[in-house]
Amino acid sequence: MRDIAVVVVLAAIVWLGLAFPLVMPFPETVDWPGHQVRHALALSLHEDSVLAGLYAVEWRPIPNLAGDLAMMLLGPIFGVSIAGRLLLALGMAGWVAAPLLLQRALFGQTTLWPLVASLFVYNAILYMGFENFYLTAPLAMAAFAGWVATDEEAWNGRRLGLLAVAAQLVWFGHLVVWGVLGLWIGSYELGRPGADLRTRLTRTLAAGAMFLPGAVLFVWQQIASPATHGGGTVWAGAGFQKLGLVLSPVLQYQPNLDLTMLLVVLPLVATFTLLDGSPRIHRRMQWVVAIMGVVTLLMPGRLMGVGFMDQRLPAMWLGLLVASTEVTFTKRTVAVGVGALVGLALVTRIGTTFQRWSRHSAETAELLTLRDYLEPGQRVLPAGTDRIAHYHTASWLVPEARVFLPSLFTGAHLLQVDPAVAPLDHPTPAPPSRETLLEARNQRGRFAPGGDPADLVYLTHWWTDFDHLLWLDPGPPPWPLETVAKGSWFTLYRLPPETP
């Protein structure tokens, strides 16, 4: 019990350290502002006639609801700002705790080794702001740990029923994580050591049947409301296009630190562990780790419309690998050295993240001063940047200034747009460049007669459809415009219908 207490206390300290940068009101996570704005609208549209004339929230059973469901509970109590950061903190807690739970289920003991997985809490999933995936991933590992922990029990309906409930909850959290949970349990049963083939197949099929409700619901959803944007499968190329796959468990887009983690910290931890720790993957987990590794390496960049797939799975795989491995250091000094190295890496990452989120919070607060220059119901087009985080930061203007922006991930989530502004909306937007705006204005390129603007059709008459251009480029706009307000990293221009 004393050893467990020590591990729990240290895990809590690690979590509190990782969550510390969340004292900043606006973490720099790319898609997160869009999700937060959706949550804010879900809580406030019923009492705001202006925003209700622009947006609508339509609740329906989709496999991407982790943040939305949690926010409906926490938002009215804490407010969206605090509740959103609390959700991220709870997600971090899950990424720290889930490997501990899985190791306990496998080996019957709790050691400090799974805390190495804390190096992957600040990963590409967090930076990209994939809220639902980030929250659901540790729940899947916890559910898998429960399946492993009850492995010695009788193969009965109660255990299968609990798996069906857990799988469906994960399905509502995020579809891809649901698939990973099915992969883990299927490969765990299929690779069961000492069992004959018939037993393996029977147990695999019985466990797989517990995922049928989610599969049927997904097929029904695709038939009832098929996706109209962002579908298909796209395979990432080789070389630097695939580098994100390797870096994603530690990828926070801080090049020096990311490369140090990848090329120095992780190799040193692995080397000391191999030389002195006698690492051993649990025999029941060998198939799971191997199959998950192959799937992770072969995963395309986009699968069935879900983007950045090759960056989503590696952190889950490494957490699984760490939790499935038993490490026994023969030299205390080596164990202490590994712990110190991990601790130093975590402190460094926490410090740089705090500085970065502090700077981003100041930038966001500066942007929100534009509420004094905008009128409720106006239409604002953010454009002109290659910094995707800045582009989505503009989303905060929707609830703060009560305006319309075409960049809130509508359609795929619960948020919809009013038919009056639907032609100006883009469910999965990217920042329009100067060249794109000029092409549309001059009817050239994709916007020429007979051309195909494809999903950029919302920009066809942008200079008259929108009231303001929020220019996020340090250079001048596409042509001279009337300046309404200017900040250190943005300029708000007026777009009258008579723009030449």
Side-chain angles (χ1 to χ4, degrees):
M1 292 299 294
R2 181 181 177 183
D3 291 341
I4 295 177
V6 170
V7 173
V8 170
V9 169
L10 286 178
I13 292 173
V14 169
W15 167 61
L16 290 173
L18 289 166
F20 174 70
L22 290 169
V23 299
M24 292 294 103
F26 300 105
E28 187 182 5
T29 57
V30 176
D31 288 356
W32 189 70
H35 295 305
Q36 288 295 95
V37 169
R38 182 178 71 255
H39 301 328
L41 294 178
L43 293 171
S44 65
L45 276 181
H46 65 282
E47 57 187 22
D48 192 320
S49 60
V50 173
L51 287 175
L54 300 171
Y55 298 99
V57 176
E58 297 181 0
W59 286 92
R60 60 191 192 280
I62 61 174
N64 200 9
L65 290 175
D68 298 274
L69 294 173
M71 186 60 72
M72 295 307 294
L73 297 175
L74 300 178
I77 300 173
F78 299 101
V80 172
S81 176
I82 294 177
R85 286 176 284 153
L86 179 59
L87 282 180
L88 288 183
L90 291 175
M92 292 176 181
W95 281 82
V96 173
L100 291 168
L101 293 175
L102 181 54
Q103 190 203 53
R104 179 77 178 179
L106 286 168
F107 298 100
Q109 62 180 349
T110 305
T111 69
L112 294 176
W113 170 250
L115 290 181
V116 171
S118 299
L119 292 172
F120 317 130
V121 173
Y122 287 168
N123 52 41
I125 305 166
L126 175 64
Y127 176 78
M128 293 301 295
F130 299 152
E131 179 188 64
N132 295 319
F133 191 101
Y134 192 77
L135 294 175
T136 309
L139 293 180
M141 184 172 287
F144 180 58
W147 181 258
V148 171
T150 56
D151 188 63
E152 301 303 325
E153 293 185 7
W155 186 253
N156 55 39
R158 177 176 174 271
R159 184 167 181 250
L160 289 172
L162 289 174
L163 173 61
V165 172
Q168 198 57 49
L169 290 175
V170 171
W171 186 93
F172 281 113
H174 199 283
L175 180 68
V176 174
V177 181
W178 172 80
V180 170
L181 176 60
L183 177 69
W184 287 352
I185 291 179
S187 53
Y188 179 83
E189 294 298 337
L190 196 60
R192 177 174 292 276
D196 57 68
L197 180 60
R198 180 178 179 180
T199 299
R200 295 183 185 188
L201 291 176
T202 300
R203 294 175 70 102
T204 301
L205 291 174
M210 300 305 100
F211 288 79
L212 281 178
V216 171
L217 192 55
F218 174 71
V219 171
W220 171 82
Q221 180 214 12
Q222 295 304 303
I223 295 174
S225 55
T228 56
H229 293 273
T233 298
V234 178
W235 295 90
F240 285 105
Q241 288 185 341
K242 204 66 175 176
L243 187 60
L245 175 66
V246 180
L247 284 174
S248 63
V250 294
L251 187 62
Q252 281 283 301
Y253 295 89
Q254 298 173 286
N256 293 335
L257 187 52
D258 291 345
L259 288 175
T260 299
M261 292 281 286
L262 180 71
L263 302 179
V264 178
V265 175
L266 293 181
L268 283 177
V269 169
T271 299
F272 289 138
T273 301
L274 289 171
L275 291 178
D276 188 67
S278 302
R280 178 180 66 89
I281 298 177
H282 197 287
R283 62 194 300 260
R284 285 184 288 169
M285 291 298 294
Q286 292 172 0
W287 275 51
V288 185
V289 171
I291 292 175
M292 179 66 179
V294 171
V295 170
T296 298
L297 288 173
L298 297 181
M299 184 60 61
R302 176 178 291 274
L303 179 65
M304 298 176 62
V306 181
F308 299 96
M309 282 295 298
D310 53 354
Q311 289 194 9
R312 293 176 186 259
L313 299 190
M316 293 188 69
W317 178 77
L318 280 177
L320 180 77
L321 175 63
V322 170
S324 303
T325 304
E326 184 179 45
V327 175
T328 305
F329 289 103
T330 59
K331 299 178 182 177
R332 182 178 178 84
T333 54
V334 175
V336 172
V338 170
L341 182 61
V342 172
L344 178 62
L346 287 175
V347 169
T348 303
R349 180 69 89 182
I350 291 167
T352 57
T353 300
F354 177 79
Q355 292 178 336
R356 189 170 178 174
W357 289 5
S358 176
R359 182 178 65 252
H360 184 72
S361 292
E363 292 176 342
T364 305
E366 182 186 12
L367 177 75
L368 293 182
T369 61
L370 291 181
R371 66 169 72 91
D372 298 330
Y373 302 93
L374 296 169
E375 297 179 8
Q378 288 188 322
R379 304 166 181 179
V380 180
L381 175 65
T385 181
D386 57 0
R387 288 193 60 182
I388 191 68
H390 272 171
Y391 176 66
H392 288 298
T393 298
S395 302
W396 292 110
L397 289 172
V398 172
E400 293 290 336
R402 303 166 66 204
V403 296
F404 170 80
L405 267 74
S407 52
L408 293 188
F409 306 111
T410 56
H413 297 279
L414 301 177
L415 191 64
Q416 308 293 324
V417 291
D418 187 89
V421 293
L424 311 183
D425 186 58
H426 194 308
T428 55
S433 66
R434 183 191 312 271
E435 291 72 21
T436 298
L437 297 183
L438 284 172
E439 279 186 354
R441 179 66 183 89
N442 298 317
Q443 296 187 335
R444 294 198 304 258
R446 289 168 292 182
F447 296 91
D452 181 17
D455 60 342
L456 297 179
V457 67
Y458 78 108
L459 296 173
T460 302
H461 299 97
W462 66 268
W463 62 96
T464 56
D465 288 337
F466 290 89
D467 299 296
H468 291 90
L469 174 67
L470 179 58
W471 193 241
L472 305 174
D473 190 290
W479 58 79
L481 295 168
E482 178 187 350
T483 300
V484 176
K486 187 174 181 62
S488 62
W489 60 280
F490 60 84
T491 306
L492 183 68
Y493 294 103
R494 182 172 284 111
L495 289 172
E498 63 271 14
T499 297

